[in-house]
Amino acid sequence: MLANIPEKVMHRVRFGLACGWLILIFSLFYDPISPLLTHFNAYWSPFKLNLDTCVKVQGTCLEEQPYGLGSSLFWGLIVPSGVFILLIFGHEFWRRICPLGFMSQIFRALGKQRQRKRVNKETGKTHYELVKIKSNSWLGKNHLKLQMGLLYVGVCGRLLFYDSNRIVLGSFLLFTIGSAILVGYLYAGKTWCQYFCPMAPVQAFYGEPRGLLNSIAHEGQKTLITQSMCRRPNPDGTESSACVACNSPCVDIDAERAYWDAIKKPDYKILYYSYAGLVFGFFLYYYLYSGSWAYLLSGAWTHQENQLGLLFSPGFYIFNVAIPIPRLIAAPLTLAASMAGAYFLGIQLEKVYKSYQLKRNPSLNNQQLQHQIFTLTTFWVFNFFFIFAGRAYISKFPVQFQYLFNLLLVLASSLWLYRTWSRSSERYSRESLANRLRKQLNRLKVDVSRFLEGRSLDLLSADEVYVLAKILPGFTGDKRLEAYKGILRDSLEEGYVNSASSLEVLQQMRGELGVSEQEHLTILTELGVEDPELLDPNQQRSRENQLRLQSFRQRIRGMVGSKRRRGAKGLGRELLKVVKKEKSVSDVLDKEGGSVESLSREYGITLEEENQIIANLDEESQLERRSNLLLQQLQDLYDIELTLLYPPEVLNIPHLRKGLEILRNTVSQKQKVIAKGMLKILEQSDSGTKGTRLVLALATLTPNVLPHLLENHDQKWTERLNDIYLSRLKQQLKLAELIPPKVSEELMISYLETLLSEPDSLTKTVSLYLLNKLDRKRGQQQASQLLDSYLMLNPSLKETAQQIVAETEEQETKIVTPLERLLYLSSCDLLKGLRAESLMELSYQVPIKEYSESEIIWEQGEVIKDLFLLLDGQVECHQIQEDDTVIVDELEPVNFLNKLEILGNLEAIATVVVSSPKACFLVIEGTILNELIEQDKRFARAVIEQESRQLKHLKQLVS
């Protein structure tokens, strides 16, 4: 709701609220005014004490004296207002006005935060970095438990020490403020808010996935500044991100994204169920202590005298009997029991609810059911909270207002329930991707005005955006691919997907835009060529990190732009000296607009990130760095290609060679795209030593794909490259030759494991299958990892992995997966003309048959209706001649036994008998084969040509 209000305005608001809070704290220590408002004789004051009212505590009327309003206002109005704000106005509203969060940033505003000193061993340069909590540290993993623990301690403290004792309350609040300021000094960003603040679980409970009136961060936004994210005002009046990526995913950038990421974690069950128990136990204890609800509803607990003196008085008063358990023990015990009981009750109710809902609607996934349970929990706790919270003040209004207030609370929470109930991570992802599509439509300047009937593109729903993309007449072919490329690039940069998960996560988007799996893989490789680090699995990418680096990069470019008076070439040479470590950045860029060193500290930039960003400012050095990375990729692919061409002997059998061929096609496709990128670099570079080195390396490492690229008339490389480069490329290609290497099984295993990380599902499946053939143990390990991951979109991959995990050495029955059938079928000459889609479909249709030793498959002269492909074992063909002599031929895998008989509808020319202990066959029904021949003319022609050649060969043998 406050997302679009300028930071300067909100800074003043936070400053005002912080001052107001400090005044309130001061009043807890010294307040000569408000006791006058609560005096018995202050008839004009709505806060005056009523002598005629008896608030019984443990059977005795509580003696009340005029009191200061500080603690009463804090507990009775400010705290309930915070809960109301979180559910109705959203997490962003609270985070942008929170005075404690404001105070935690004091040292950041002064530029005096703790820094970690790092020294570059090569250059001796000293670099200072802000300290951040690492996500894999104990605190990074367990901060929610810590915050829940602090919240529990804080609520226990209320009941025991500072509900009504103003001095202790003031000291506690000052201690909390001091802790926030100290954490703000010790760690970068909003570390206090993210990792320590006891209110953070409360904010998550009520404010996520989104409030009733909050803004939406992932859909229809025109600005990079969203919700309550850290920001800084610029001199020109605009705002830029000040995010230092202290936490990812960050709730201040996108609360709903953080919610869907966290809902998978067990800690969130602890948060929701135990917090519900904490609220219930907190209010219940006032009843258990006093013996009635009047003590709680009157608000007398906010000004009860001598709270510290009651620590060892009876802590329970039940059925008019004081139970001699000290309050010091009773209060924490009640809260702990309520939290534990609520957690275990929540777990049991969750099981019942999920079981009931799955019977009604089996399509619901576990995450959606969990979300519904959390939503119901928040709805119930919010309404239960306001049965008691703030009642001492609400009761002072007329009865009609009280009923209206209650009605508005129920109505607002019901609207929140209605708005939140239908949310799902799938819906969120769909809307996020639709927003990315909006950006691409705007970027490509596609004319959409005549389809929107006066509406803005940003006002369309996610479903409308997808429909629009389908019907736009100008949005086809290359434009669709260009749009998808932009979506994929943004998704990779923000860490929304990685190269391995992108195929699955963007499946729906590919379907909407009509992008095939192969086109996706080509685009992915192109992005890796344009920015090799984009696909680096070692880089932890996130939206938070992208914003941090992007903001730093923009500020640096602004500083560079202000120094253009030096001339572009002069500046480029100076920056190149920085890259070569001959000069420091400070020697090149002045302190105009802030030094690089202070800017690095402001954004939490590491020494490596700073060097990389500065290096990229110089185009020449950036091209050199990129070309080196691409050459290294080509070298890796070249090594894999050689290994696939000359595999170990164990893989040198027909159907396994077919699997290797599939992998070589994947490698070749990547080589082609990278080689194209290298040619573009050569096109931009001048003839020289460096260019010659690139030419020689490119021709040496891509001898199989480069000639086809150069001969491609559409790309016109022969015209785009200078004559020297072109001549050297062709000369080196003539000299290049593949030298067969000695490939060990261990080396082949390592390369197959590398290919397992490819996003292409067929490549994954084949790599896993071949790996299992070489090393069953490692194959089963990789299969188990795949089954445990969420990247199991492809049925063939899943089935192959399950089969590998399940198989044992003692297994008697041979189970052939669809992939294995595909490899067997595609390795046969007869089926080579069949389309890949038809071959894949056939692999799922053909059954497996096993025969024992001496069993007859068919008799000579019998008409066979099915085509038999021998997979495993041996058979003998007994052919009886006219003179009653018998010719015996032995057949081994992988061979069709009756090609000619099936195609010619002839009688069997021999009796076929199993000669090994067992024989395994793939059986293709004749009707299916005939249908394939009738439907696919290219396949029919290939079959005729093959059989004609075979008949001609047989005729020559006979003659």
Side-chain angles (χ1 to χ4, degrees), residues 362-418:
S363 62
L364 285 173
N365 59 43
N366 185 67
Q367 191 179 80
Q368 183 65 18
L369 290 171
Q370 192 68 66
H371 164 67
Q372 292 178 0
I373 294 167
F374 286 168
T375 302
L376 287 172
T377 304
T378 301
F379 175 77
W380 179 85
V381 171
F382 178 82
N383 286 283
F384 178 81
F385 180 87
F386 278 102
I387 292 174
F388 305 103
R391 287 297 158 179
Y393 290 96
I394 296 171
S395 63
K396 297 181 185 300
F397 289 92
V399 175
Q400 296 86 342
F401 177 85
Q402 295 180 40
Y403 282 123
L404 179 62
F405 178 77
N406 293 334
L407 179 63
L408 288 175
L409 280 177
V410 174
L411 178 62
S413 61
S414 298
L415 288 173
W416 176 88
L417 177 66
Y418 173 78

Side-chain angles (χ1 to χ4, degrees), residues 918-933:
K918 281 190 178 181
C920 181
F921 298 88
L922 269 180
V923 182
I924 305 175
E925 292 183 16
T927 53
I928 294 177
L929 186 64
N930 290 333
E931 287 176 4
L932 290 173
I933 293 173

Side-chain angles (χ1 to χ4, degrees), residues 57 111 139-140 167 188 324 405 420 518 560 569 607 609 765 862 900:
V57 177
L139 184 57
I167 301 299
F405 178 77
T420 307
Q518 187 56 53
V560 171
K569 291 185 178 179
L607 183 61
E609 289 169 339
T765 310
E862 187 178 341
L900 290 175

